[in-house]
Amino acid sequence: DLINSPAEGDNTSAIATIWVVTGIATVSVVSGLNYGIKILSELAFGLGCVLLLLVFISDNSPYLLNVMVQLIGDYIQMGVFKQNFHTDAFGQLASGEGRAMDGMSADKGWVDGWTNFYFAW
């Protein structure tokens, strides 16, 4: 059973997998950037494309396309426009100046520090 872990002391497949991956990585690194790493990265890209195609074919394709369009729109709307200009100006006000009275607003110093950290990163 693939889901359950192997029996105690039966880790032959795990050791073999580690040796195979280590061997492939070693050969790739020793052969250099122009050949080994290039071949390995092209293989990984190809396998990723095959996996993407298999998921697209075997799942509900119209749903996946709708989700992709919606997420791209959300990214453009929120990630490009809204989040870049959001400074939580009302959260920085003191009590009595317009700050939320229900205690649901952010800490006054958090937004200032997080914004500086985020843009510096």
Side-chain angles (χ1 to χ4, degrees):
D1 191 11
L2 292 176
I3 297 175
N4 296 328
S5 63
E8 288 292 323
D10 184 26
N11 55 4
T12 308
S13 62
I15 292 174
T17 303
I18 290 171
W19 275 107
V20 168
V21 169
T22 302
I24 291 171
T26 302
V27 169
S28 175
V29 168
V30 168
S31 59
L33 288 175
N34 290 331
Y35 183 72
I37 302 294
K38 179 181 175 185
I39 297 295
L40 193 61
S41 65
E42 288 174 354
L43 177 68
F45 180 76
L47 289 175
C49 288
V50 168
L51 180 64
L52 180 68
L53 184 66
L54 286 174
V55 168
F56 186 74
I57 289 171
S58 64
D59 204 358
N60 187 357
S61 299
Y63 171 73
L64 290 176
L65 290 173
N66 284 336
V67 166
M68 188 171 63
V69 169
Q70 180 176 341
L71 290 178
I72 289 172
D74 285 346
Y75 172 74
I76 291 171
Q77 178 184 4
M78 300 295 290
V80 175
F81 294 111
K82 184 176 181 184
Q83 290 298 85
N84 287 335
F85 297 105
H86 182 71
T87 60
D88 198 20
F90 299 113
Q92 295 172 354
L93 295 173
S95 294
E97 294 180 343
R99 185 177 178 86
M101 301 304 287
D102 59 0
M104 299 297 292
S105 55
D107 182 32
K108 288 175 67 171
W110 185 86
V111 173
D112 293 333
W114 171 252
T115 305
N116 291 337
F117 169 76
Y118 180 74
F119 285 123
W121 178 61

